[in-house]
Amino acid sequence: MRAARLIKMVLLLQSRPSMTAAELARELQVSERTVTRDAQALSEAGVPVYADRGRAGGYRLIGGYRTRLTGLARGEAEALFLSGVPGALREMGLQDAASAARLKVSAALLPSLRDASRTAAQRFHLDAPNWFREPRTPELLPAVADAVWDDRLVTARYRRGEEQVERRLEPYGLVLKAGVWYLCARVAGQGSFRVYRIDRFTAVQAAGERFERAADFDLPAFWEERAEQFARSILRARVVVRLSPEGVRRLPHAVDPLSAREALEEADAPDAAGWVRVSLPVESEEVAHTQLTALGAEAEVLEPSSLRERFAEEAARLAELYRR
């Protein structure tokens, strides 16, 4: 365990000019005191770790010290080759660069590990788009990706409803969600971050100057928060439903998982027959009807009355149809 941590510490210091004890502790998930002890152990082992004192101090490697990747285990090497998404790299125009990088990593590995790329590819494959949707690569994606990598300002024109809007953007990061590409960006000179669908861009022009990234911006955390906000924003109505034990089990598969989780967490206690009453957030009565139909007789709509009457009428029509 400690040996793996020491190797990671060396690689972190090798990849950056300097790191504070707090930064290393956060990356290695240990205390700053452990970082100090690990740095001392590396120094005693001949690794030239140097500690700068003072407010601007930190740890760094001196003398151009470099380590090789001979410490990789097979599982680590295979995971390394799984870290890229071939389709996404191709769409961003990075396929050649990724291929060259894999060749260089392979050349640095021990001979016994050089088949890691093949063994990983034969065991795992990521197919990002949804079923029944033909994936389309936005024409302007490579240009946007270049600006993201280079921290370069862009002037983008995009469709918003029936009109076209032009904005000067600081492009922070790209997200591929269910086959759709999104740009997380900030309007130049403004503080808030926004999300744009790349396939709605009609023109992208990179500027000559770069922008300074906010040091505290965390793309995965930002996307997770925005995705949850979006999911909640479309759940504008509520329906009250009684669910059988089987209905409770099947509810997360029939409706939005966030909606199901919220409803079941706040559900009433089961009655004598095991049925529970829940208040379910939904997008609309129309959507609720479509989703809850999948539960059949395992769900009874209580409110609103208009939706309950709709289910009753449909049940009567079905009974008549099958009676014939």
Side-chain angles (χ1 to χ4, degrees):
M1 181 72 177
R2 190 189 186 197
R5 189 175 72 241
L6 291 174
I7 291 172
K8 185 175 180 181
M9 183 174 179
V10 173
L11 293 174
L12 284 168
L13 293 174
Q14 185 174 294
S15 65
R16 305 178 195 181
S18 176
M19 293 184 71
T20 65
E23 290 171 337
L24 283 167
R26 186 166 55 250
E27 291 280 356
L28 299 171
Q29 297 183 345
V30 295
S31 67
E32 292 187 32
R33 180 175 294 181
T34 299
V35 168
T36 302
R37 288 199 298 264
D38 285 352
Q40 181 65 31
L42 287 170
S43 181
E44 292 172 357
V47 178
V49 177
Y50 180 78
D52 287 318
R53 307 297 179 185
R55 289 183 58 188
Y59 291 92
R60 60 187 177 89
L61 295 173
I62 60 176
Y65 181 85
R66 307 291 293 176
T67 186
R68 300 184 64 187
L69 291 174
T70 51
L72 284 177
R74 170 164 290 277
E76 293 169 332
E78 290 175 341
L80 178 65
F81 286 105
L82 282 174
S83 62
V85 184
L89 291 170
R90 183 174 59 252
E91 291 178 6
M92 288 189 292
L94 298 174
Q95 185 177 22
D96 291 342
S99 177
R102 285 193 293 270
L103 285 172
K104 290 177 181 178
V105 171
S106 294
L109 292 173
L110 292 171
S112 60
L113 298 179
R114 287 178 185 165
D115 65 341
S117 62
R118 183 183 60 80
T119 58
Q122 292 304 316
R123 286 166 173 78
F124 300 98
H125 176 69
L126 176 62
D127 185 9
N130 279 336
W131 287 103
F132 313 118
R133 172 185 292 173
E134 176 142 5
R136 282 184 166 182
T137 303
E139 183 180 343
L140 296 172
L141 176 61
V144 176
D146 283 346
V148 168
W149 281 113
D150 208 23
D151 292 341
R152 194 173 294 277
L153 287 162
V154 298
T155 300
R157 192 162 60 248
Y158 63 96
R159 296 188 301 274
R160 189 171 68 183
E162 298 298 319
E163 62 177 349
Q164 292 213 15
V165 179
E166 186 170 286
R167 292 284 185 272
R168 188 172 169 83
L169 301 176
E170 299 173 355
Y172 268 70
L174 289 166
V175 175
L176 176 61
K177 170 71 171 178
V180 180
W181 283 96
Y182 297 88
L183 173 67
C184 301
R186 184 163 63 176
V187 176
Q190 297 185 17
S192 60
F193 289 91
R194 304 179 186 180
V195 176
Y196 301 86
R197 278 185 60 148
I198 302 294
D199 57 7
R200 291 181 183 164
F201 283 2
T202 59
V204 172
Q205 179 65 49
E209 66 268 31
R210 293 182 172 86
F211 64 93
E212 186 174 343
R213 295 177 67 89
D216 59 350
F217 179 75
D218 184 332
L219 179 60
F222 169 77
W223 180 260
E224 182 179 358
E225 180 183 352
R226 279 303 171 91
E228 184 166 334
Q229 287 177 359
F230 173 75
R232 290 187 181 280
S233 71
I234 64 174
L235 301 175
R236 301 185 182 92
R238 281 187 176 267
V239 298
V240 180
V241 187
R242 285 183 70 238
L243 297 169
S244 71
E246 177 63 14
V248 169
R249 187 187 69 81
R250 288 164 50 186
L251 185 67
H253 305 287
V255 303
D256 178 79
L258 177 68
S259 171
R261 184 172 70 249
E262 180 179 315
L264 294 175
E265 286 175 352
E266 301 174 357
D268 295 341
D271 62 18
W275 285 60
V276 298
R277 177 188 174 111
V278 300
S279 176
L280 183 69
V282 295
E283 187 174 344
S284 64
E285 282 193 30
E286 185 67 33
V287 172
H289 176 262
T290 301
Q291 293 175 334
L292 294 175
T293 296
L295 298 180
E298 306 302 331
E300 177 190 2
V301 174
L302 303 178
E303 298 175 14
S305 58
S306 56
L307 184 58
R308 180 178 175 84
E309 290 168 6
R310 182 171 179 175
F311 271 100
E313 291 170 3
E314 189 165 287
R317 290 171 54 207
L318 281 171
E320 179 62 27
L321 177 65
Y322 283 98
R323 191 179 298 118
R324 292 202 302 268

